[in-house]
């Protein structure tokens, strides 16, 4: 019983309120990306994937805290664990949390984490992992480590992001947003779209199911906002997790694929350097946009489900390869009989992460 | 033009936090980016785009366009003189 | 066994520019940083060991705080209505401090930023120990850098090593080191 496995999960997004609904929507090639004008008081129009706030906001709570707690509640329920147990702990992944309320409230991420653990009567201090765009992946790595430390039986890892004028204007000022739905790895890609979602997994020990085999976080040590030209950190993170598996055993690499010029190019270099050019590659930003603190968890859940169904999900928005390395980007849905995949993310601060998932069976 | 060049240098020093520099330290024709000259980077380009809009009402569509305008302070001053709306 | 090797701190109210000029002086990117990053950068300068500026994957950078990037978030928010500042926005991420330290020192190992309700040695020791589950990580530059405002901060850092020759890295010794 030394394997860290996923025992419960949830997704709240504009495409659905359960992992099954979200997966079905992706299989139908749906996307919630649409153009907003005047939203959040932002002058320039932008394309984003936004949730219905009136549906999810609980009285007395912010929209952000509401979806964090609701995503956690659903994952806890699916796992059937006791969230108030001292042997359970919560890890929250987000970048900006309640930032839209900066003028009126305590918007520290620590306060949101406290409200999360309090909502379940959990006695342990909730840890926030805020590692820019790899936060979700880093939080899963953190959850795995907390279990292996022997201090806990269950870790609830929740990732969420809500959009706001603060974030949208910031990405606009960086000229990072596309005015159209994003096109990951495509020759015509010209930026990312932002998205809102909350996703959660409960990790525990088990012999069967989806195992978090190992994860790594590495820094480019190059630039705070520009991806490495050599894919340094991403390559090193991949190299660390690939010691556990042969590339032939991978169903796919689910990349970050933000659809910015430099991110996707950097990932192609890292994948090539890691010897994975023959492994299918896919990105899910065309369905959900870049959901920031939720991305690592949301995209991991959908990738697990895809492997369960024997599918390599298509990369919505991709038609023509537009990176320098011959990576196998999945434009159409493919079939797979493999039982493992790698989740890859990169973010500001030069940080990169890779996490290896493998589906085991009893006696496997 | 001399006056505009000096004004741009002062705004540049302020916007990019070029500590301890004075307009006299910046050569009118030295490249702003790359290893020579001021050695500015990609975020500095974006901040210069804001500088143009805020002070001169000039809106650049992309950082790529910026690279042409931000070759040197002299080139910037020519561009501002020709395109300013305020 | 993990050990604590060194400790550095910057008292609240310290003139960071003066400290930079006295200790470093040749890294103009310092002036672009927000207060949290300046603190992290200066602490890392005090803890940096030889040989410097050599790429190394075995050194992690683990930063903890309550405020995250909130101090700079307020500065960015002030620009949002008129001309949102890209150079302020890039510092609105709590982990940029780890990136600045990694860039300066060529630390290519793990970098992580954690936000906690308060400085709690039990939690910090546990999280640092857990980070050493990464088998490449041989040492970690760890810090508590909480910038509540530009002139109101708590900032200290320490180096933790796998099998080093310092004191054992545990709650008691971390308490002792911090309170010295």
């Amino acid at each position: 019983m030394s394997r860290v496995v996923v025992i419960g999960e949830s997704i709240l997004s504009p495409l659905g309120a359960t992992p099954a609904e979200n997966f079905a929507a992706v299989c139908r090639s749906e996307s919630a990306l649409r153009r907003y004008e005047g939203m959040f008081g932002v002058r320039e129009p932008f394309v984003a994937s936004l949730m219905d706030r009136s549906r999810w906001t609980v009285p007395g709570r912010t929209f952000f805290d509401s979806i964090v707690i609701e995503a956690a509640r659903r994952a806890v329920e699916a796992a059937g664990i006791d969230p108030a147990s001292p042997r359970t702990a919560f890890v929250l992944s987000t970048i900006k949390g309640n930032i839209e309320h900066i003028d009126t409230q305590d918007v520290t991420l620590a306060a949101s984490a406290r409200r999360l653990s309090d909502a379940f009567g959990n006695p342990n201090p909730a840890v926030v992992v805020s590692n820019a765009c790899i936060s979700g992946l880093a939080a899963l790595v953190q959850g795995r480590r907390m279990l292996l430390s022997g201090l806990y039986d269950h870790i609830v890892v929740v990732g969420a992001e809500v959009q706001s004028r603060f974030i949208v204007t910031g990405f606009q000022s960086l000229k990072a947003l596309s005015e159209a739905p994003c096109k990951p790895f495509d020759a015509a890609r010209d930026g990312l779209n932002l998205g809102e979602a909350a996703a959660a997994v409960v990790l525990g020990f088990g012999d069967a199911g989806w195992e978090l085999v190992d994860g790594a976080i590495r820094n480019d040590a190059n630039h705070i906002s520009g991806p490495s030209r050599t894919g340094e950190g991403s390559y090193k993170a991949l190299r660390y997790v690939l010691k556990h598996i042969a590339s032939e055993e991978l169903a796919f690499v689910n990349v970050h694929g933000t659809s910015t010029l430099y991110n996707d190019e950097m990932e192609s270099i890292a994948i090539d350097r890691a010897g994975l050019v023959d492994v299918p590659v896919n990105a899910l930003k065309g369905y959900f946009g870049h959901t920031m603190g939720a991305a690592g968890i949301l995209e991991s859940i959908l990738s697990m489900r895809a492997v369960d169904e024997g599918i390599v999900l298509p990369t919505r928005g991709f038609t023509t390869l537009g990176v320098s390395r011959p990576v196998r980007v999945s434009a159409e849905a493919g079939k797979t009989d493999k039982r493992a995949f790698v989740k890859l993310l990169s973010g500001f601060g030069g940080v990169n992460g890779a996490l290896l998932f493998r589906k085991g069976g009893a006696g496997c | 033009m001399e006056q505009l060049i000096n004004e741009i240098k002062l705004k540049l020093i302020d916007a990019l936090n070029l500590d301890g520099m004075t307009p006299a330290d910046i050569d009118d024709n030295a490249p702003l980016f790359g290893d020579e000259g001021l050695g500015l980077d990609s975020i500095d380009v974006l901040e210069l785009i804001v500088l143009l809009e805020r002070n001169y009402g000039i809106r650049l569509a992309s950082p790529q366009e910026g690279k042409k305008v931000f070759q040197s302070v002299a080139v910037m001053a020519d561009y501002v003189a020709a395109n300013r709306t305020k | 066994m993990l050990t604590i090797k060194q400790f550095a701190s910057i008292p609240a109210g310290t003139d960071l520019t003066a400290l930079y000029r006295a200790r470093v002086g040749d890294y103009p990117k310092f002036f672009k940083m927000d207060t949290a990053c300046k603190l992290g950068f200066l602490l890392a300068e005090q803890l940096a060991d030889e040989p410097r500026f050599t790429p190394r994957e075995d050194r992690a950078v683990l930063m903890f705080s309550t405020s995250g990037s909130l101090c700079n978030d307020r500065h960015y928010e002030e620009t949002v209505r008129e001309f949102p500042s890209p150079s302020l926005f890039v510092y609105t991420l709590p982990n940029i401090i780890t990136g600045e330290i990694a860039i300066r020192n060529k630390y290519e190992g793990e970098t992580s930023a954690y936000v906690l309700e308060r400085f709690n040695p039990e939690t910090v020791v546990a999280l640092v120990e857990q980070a050493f589950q990464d088998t490449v990580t041989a040492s970690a530059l760890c810090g508590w850098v909480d910038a509540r405002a530009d002139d109101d901060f708590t900032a200290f850092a320490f180096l933790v090593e796998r099998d080093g020759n310092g004191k054992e890295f545990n709650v008691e010794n971390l308490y002792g080191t911090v309170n010295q």
Side-chain angles (χ1 to χ4, degrees), chain C residues 80-117:
Chain C
V80 157
R81 254 170 238 281
E82 294 293 325
F83 300 100
S85 165
S87 57
L88 287 177
F89 183 69
V90 293
Y91 288 98
T92 65
L93 303 166
N95 70 316
I96 298 298
I97 180 173
T98 65
E100 290 287 14
I101 293 169
I103 292 165
R104 165 67 168 173
N105 296 287
K106 304 235 185 320
Y107 295 158
E108 297 181 343
E110 172 165 337
T111 55
S112 284
Y114 304 87
V115 181
L116 306 174
E117 242 191 323

Side-chain angles (χ1 to χ4, degrees), chain A residues 210 247-252 280 306-312 334-341 358-359:
Chain A
W210 275 104
S247 64
E248 298 79 41
E249 294 175 61
L250 293 173
F252 51 80
V307 173
D308 284 340
E309 302 290 327
I311 294 171
V312 180
K335 286 199 182 338
T336 184
D337 56 3
K338 313 280 170 67
R339 309 295 286 162
F341 69 92
R358 183 162 47 201
K359 182 76 178 275

Side-chain angles (χ1 to χ4, degrees), chain A residues 27-271:
Chain A
C27 289
R28 292 190 301 267
S29 196
E30 286 179 21
S31 171
L33 290 170
R34 53 165 286 216
R35 185 180 161 92
Y36 289 90
E37 290 189 31
M39 190 73 178
F40 308 133
V42 176
R43 274 176 305 186
E44 302 278 317
F46 60 94
V47 172
S49 167
L50 304 181
M51 292 175 69
D52 177 357
R53 291 188 173 218
S54 60
R55 176 179 176 191
W56 294 108
T57 306
V58 173
R61 291 200 192 280
T62 63
F63 172 47
F64 175 77
D65 289 346
S66 297
I67 60 172
V68 164
I69 292 166
E70 182 59 16
R73 192 187 65 76
R74 291 174 180 225
V76 162
E77 206 172 275
I81 63 158
D82 174 12
S85 163
R87 299 280 299 172
T88 299
F90 286 77
V91 177
L92 174 61
S93 156
T94 182
I95 306 177
K96 296 315 304 171
N98 276 313
I99 196 70
E100 61 185 327
H101 302 295
I102 186 168
D103 292 331
T104 55
Q105 293 183 23
D106 174 3
V107 297
T108 56
L109 305 180
S112 285
R114 175 56 177 269
R115 288 191 283 271
L116 170 63
S117 54
D118 280 357
F120 294 92
N122 185 275
N124 294 308
V127 172
V128 183
V129 178
S130 194
N131 261 356
C133 301
I134 81 156
S135 296
L137 189 156
L140 290 170
V141 170
Q142 181 59 39
R144 175 178 177 275
R145 288 175 179 172
M146 287 165 78
L147 284 175
L148 293 177
S149 75
L151 298 170
Y152 304 99
D153 297 326
H154 300 111
I155 305 291
V156 185
V157 185
V158 193
E161 210 72 48
V162 305
Q163 294 302 329
S164 58
R165 183 175 65 176
F166 187 103
I167 299 174
V168 175
T169 56
F171 278 92
Q172 284 176 336
S173 79
L174 296 177
K175 308 285 180 201
L177 298 186
S178 175
E179 290 173 18
C182 66
K183 304 177 185 68
F185 281 72
D186 194 86
R189 72 183 183 279
D190 63 354
L192 59 84
N193 313 126
L194 294 166
E196 294 181 333
V201 300
V202 178
L203 302 176
F205 291 105
D207 287 326
W210 275 104
E211 181 190 4
L212 275 63
V213 180
D214 209 347
I217 298 164
R218 293 291 182 270
N219 202 290
D220 293 330
N222 174 55
H223 193 271
I224 55 168
S225 65
S228 160
R229 297 295 167 102
T230 56
E232 208 56 42
S234 191
Y235 160 66
K236 286 192 168 76
L238 275 171
R239 187 177 63 183
Y240 185 87
V241 300
L242 289 175
K243 67 190 180 198
H244 299 286
I245 198 160
S247 64
E248 298 79 41
E249 294 175 61
L250 293 173
F252 51 80
V253 178
N254 182 254
V255 293
H256 194 26
T258 58
S259 185
T260 66
L261 230 44
Y262 296 112
N263 174 80
D264 296 2
E265 171 63 14
M266 180 280 288
E267 284 191 297
S268 82
I269 292 168
I271 288 165

Side-chain angles (χ1 to χ4, degrees), chain C residues 39-57:
Chain C
L39 290 165
F41 173 87
L42 291 168
L43 286 168
E45 288 300 298
Q46 295 176 45
L47 293 181
D49 39 11
E50 299 293 334
R52 293 207 64 181
F53 313 125
T54 308
R56 54 187 296 185
E57 191 181 348

Side-chain angles (χ1 to χ4, degrees), chain C residues 59-73:
Chain C
R59 167 71 49 85
V61 180
L62 310 174
M63 286 288 150
F64 303 84
S65 76
T66 297
S67 304
S69 56
L70 199 58
C71 171
N72 181 68
D73 289 356

